Amino acid sequence: MRTVLLATFEPIYRYRSLITWNLRGQDASELFKSVLGRLWHLIGPLTDMLIYYFLVVIVFKARGIAGGPSPFVYIMLGLVHYNILSRCGTATSTISQEEGILKQIPIDPIVFMATHFLRIVRDTAWSFVVFAAFLLIFRPTLGLSILAYPLILTALLVFGWTLIVLVGTGGVYMRDLARFSTMVMRILMYLSPVVYLSSFYPPVIREILFYTPFACLFGLLQWSVLSASLGDLAICPGWHHIAVLVLWIAVFFVVAHVFYARSRAKFTKLF
């Protein structure tokens, strides 16, 4: 396993200059003749937030808890982090779209996955600016649980990278994976506490869903940021849920990288 990981990550370091060049080239292409430019990275999450605020709060009357955090805060918290996993989980063409280059130049395809992952992280940073603004405006009380946030975010990013490796490799074999992954990510979003609080679940359903990586991650995110505002109504996944989450991420991480390592030599033959 150690050999597989070294063989996977060594090209990322070796081609770091190419990754940087690719990111700059994508920036130039994205900003060419664009009037609003990077402002779209702010407009997108704001639009999503308003849509889900209308659906969750106005249509379904899920206004949250009296004295608790504003729905704007917990909806934005969920959407900002979901956007990372959604874009990672639907990145099925990170290798196949580079077919022409890979047929001509002997370069490790993991480089293109790393470029895409870094672009997702960079783009999402703009959404974090919007979320930070909402925190300053609505001022939810932050407790000591916020200290766990960096660990939870790290777990989410590792899971996101794992998804890119898994679906990017699988996308070479099956192009239908693009539609399937989009559908699965949408289902996982509505099953998990992304745009509503964990307390909205019936206890029995919540206990079961917290065994899934998505629901557990977003439950932990809400607990870390909003537990002080929610008080006694704050719900944190139990240690048994967290242990299963770590196991989920570890297993997916190993499976994804072994799958990629065994498929790498076959890519140009499959195009």
Side-chain angles (χ1 to χ4, degrees), residues 188-223:
L188 289 173
M189 175 185 177
Y190 291 123
L191 286 176
S192 306
V194 175
V195 294
Y196 42 81
L197 295 172
S198 298
S199 57
F200 291 170
Y201 286 112
V204 175
I205 302 289
R206 181 172 61 235
E207 176 70 17
I208 295 172
L209 287 178
F210 274 169
Y211 282 109
T212 65
F214 256 71
C216 190
L217 274 172
F218 285 97
L220 287 170
L221 281 170
Q222 286 187 3
W223 168 78

Side-chain angles (χ1 to χ4, degrees), residues 3-51:
T3 304
V4 169
L5 292 179
L6 286 175
T8 301
F9 288 103
E10 187 274 334
I12 295 176
Y13 178 78
R14 179 157 35 103
Y15 290 105
R16 60 191 182 280
S17 298
L18 176 61
I19 292 173
T20 302
W21 181 82
N22 276 339
L23 285 171
R24 290 175 180 171
Q26 291 174 4
D27 274 346
S29 176
E30 179 183 334
L31 298 175
F32 181 67
K33 292 186 178 181
S34 174
V35 177
L36 296 179
R38 288 192 172 90
L39 284 177
W40 284 113
H41 297 306
L42 300 177
I43 296 171
L46 279 173
T47 302
D48 290 340
M49 187 275 300
L50 291 174
I51 291 171

